[in-house]
Amino acid sequence: MGLGMGRARGSLAAACLRILLAAFCLVALICGGDGTSGAPYVTMRPHERVSSQPDSEALPQPLSDALNGPVEVPGGYGMSLTAHVGEHHVHASWTYVDGAPGLNTHVDSWLLGLLDAAAPAGNRYRPAMALNALQPGGQEMTVSAEPVQAAGTVIVVREKVKSSGTNGTGSVRSATVYVDTVSGELRSGAELLRPESVPGIQSRITGVPADIAAPSQQGPPVTDLLLSPSGELTVTAELPGRPGRQASMTMNARDTGAALSDYGRQVLGQLNAPAVPRPATAPALRHVNCDLVPCAALTYDDGPDARTTPQLLAILAERKAQATFFMTGSNTAANPSIAKQVADAGFAIGNHTFSHPYLTKLSIPAVKKEIERTDAAILSATGSTPTMMRPPYGAADAAVQGGVGKPLIIWAVDSLDWQSKNPAAFVPKVLKEITPGAVVLMHDVQPTTISGQQELISTLQGQGYQLVSVPQLFEGTPLTPGHVYRSRPARP
Ligand code: NI
């Protein structure tokens, strides 16, 4: 496959150009082990031109597929982001895998590291930089982290950064990481190799004769390694002295075997094993990183309602938006099948008391009774007990906070939808006041609220907002019983 195809400068001597072109697309053919050093002996066969097609003999089909693009992983779900970060216009795309938290956390910290590095000096990346960022401008940077292999307990993710400079120059860097979805262990591609076999492989990747490379230059760091199930190893690395320019080579299975570490042999075994199933997470609890993407949590109170709640569910499903429903016990008891429909669709449900009183006007035993009766109604309808609550009118004092026994989820943006009963009033109000991390208050029992949801949701998504459930919004920041929450705190 063609790698690191930058524009050759006219100033290069013809012979040098020929060597560099060859280096961009090297396929190494293995002639046999030399029997003394332990490292395989390799001869190179340079291509005459830069080609996007792998050598059909040297590269077996399954591996070429893996090199050419992402694979579907059970439980995988794609994310993307466009952001203006400092001088950079960043497009990021990546895949989370449900039930593989080690992988998801790794991808998050890799992306946040890149975005922080792109931010102006003294600043960190903020999700607000990803709002209304569709217009290009500045230096284009494309980053991706996508699974390229998945078998046994192993998922292989290739991380890639492509930058294009203002003068037509460009660079690409890539690395592979290996994740064990059962143990959670995460290793770099370099760990597939015995340390002593690395220098030999490094020197073979570039194909640049030693006399034109600076004597001080080490071999390129070996970070992008892919094993085929039949044991061929393809190594891609940066050319020495040519930052951002890559070359790759493939070794046959026999010689790869001699270079593999114990870990590499374990991975090879896993690549030949059937994929191990992972338990599925409810959609409202699936991993989203709200320090990375601009999130908002739409919340709907006072239902469920037999007419309006199913209408809202249809809109949310169509827009692929998550949301949270704070149900009253009385309406849940009156419409248990609607509450079950909300739960079965994967949305988050909170406790909004039984009879919607001002809790600050009740005795603490009466507060507890409001909560317990509602828990019982929701449990009976949906099979689950809510882990969070919202006090009616947002009314809570220290005594109420101590009495409810759950985290209190208030809001950062009050739509006042119940008051205006007019989408032309509450939709602009929400759009004006919303910021990344906000909890937004609405009421699914109001027909006029439902009328405004298509416009509100599509506008927010068009701006770059990821609409998440309350548990997703606060992921990584524990929700403590008796504490009040209105929005996700920004990364320090
Ligand atoms: Ni209410």
Side-chain angles (χ1 to χ4, degrees), residues 125-273:
Y125 165 79
R126 297 286 176 208
M129 296 175 185
L131 291 175
N132 303 304
L134 291 174
Q135 291 302 315
Q139 196 180 333
E140 293 288 320
M141 185 167 140
T142 306
V143 305
S144 61
E146 300 290 359
V148 289
Q149 282 177 299
T153 62
V154 169
I155 297 174
V156 185
V157 174
R158 172 176 277 133
E159 298 170 337
K160 212 168 179 177
V161 181
K162 278 194 228 175
S163 305
S164 54
T166 44
N167 55 356
T169 57
S171 74
V172 56
R173 287 187 175 80
S174 61
T176 45
V177 290
Y178 288 72
V179 186
D180 189 298
T181 58
V182 173
S183 71
E185 185 184 47
L186 194 133
R187 306 256 202 140
S188 82
E191 293 179 70
L192 296 177
L193 298 172
R194 293 187 297 122
E196 56 270 33
S197 56
V198 172
I201 289 172
Q202 282 175 325
S203 71
R204 277 176 230 126
I205 293 169
T206 65
V208 179
D211 58 352
I212 71 162
S216 61
Q217 277 168 351
Q218 298 282 312
V222 170
T223 53
D224 186 340
L225 294 93
L226 276 184
L227 264 177
S228 78
S230 50
E232 292 87 359
L233 179 70
T234 295
V235 184
T236 302
E238 205 166 73
L239 293 167
R242 306 280 299 164
R245 301 291 190 277
Q246 290 185 316
S248 65
M249 71 154 192
T250 298
M251 293 200 312
N252 76 15
R254 187 186 43 186
D255 294 301
T256 295
L260 288 182
S261 63
D262 289 346
Y263 176 68
R265 276 191 284 277
Q266 271 177 43
V267 167
L268 185 56
Q270 290 300 325
L271 291 177
N272 286 284

Side-chain angles (χ1 to χ4, degrees), residues 301-302 352 356 443:
D301 286 12
D302 299 356
H352 194 43
H356 209 269
H443 298 82

Side-chain angles (χ1 to χ4, degrees), residues 44-121:
M44 305 296 189
R45 190 180 65 183
H47 283 210
E48 288 305 310
R49 59 188 172 83
V50 174
S51 163
S52 62
Q53 288 302 310
D55 184 292
S56 59
E57 277 180 292
L59 220 50
Q61 197 53 41
L63 189 55
S64 74
D65 286 349
L67 283 167
N68 283 335
V71 294
E72 289 278 327
V73 178
Y77 51 105
M79 302 285 296
S80 67
L81 175 82
T82 301
H84 286 300
V85 189
E87 301 294 305
H88 302 265
H89 188 241
V90 183
H91 301 268
S93 59
W94 66 98
T95 294
Y96 290 133
V97 178
D98 189 26
L103 184 157
N104 299 338
T105 306
H106 169 78
V107 168
D108 285 339
S109 54
W110 179 72
L111 286 167
L112 281 168
L114 286 169
L115 292 163
D116 280 342

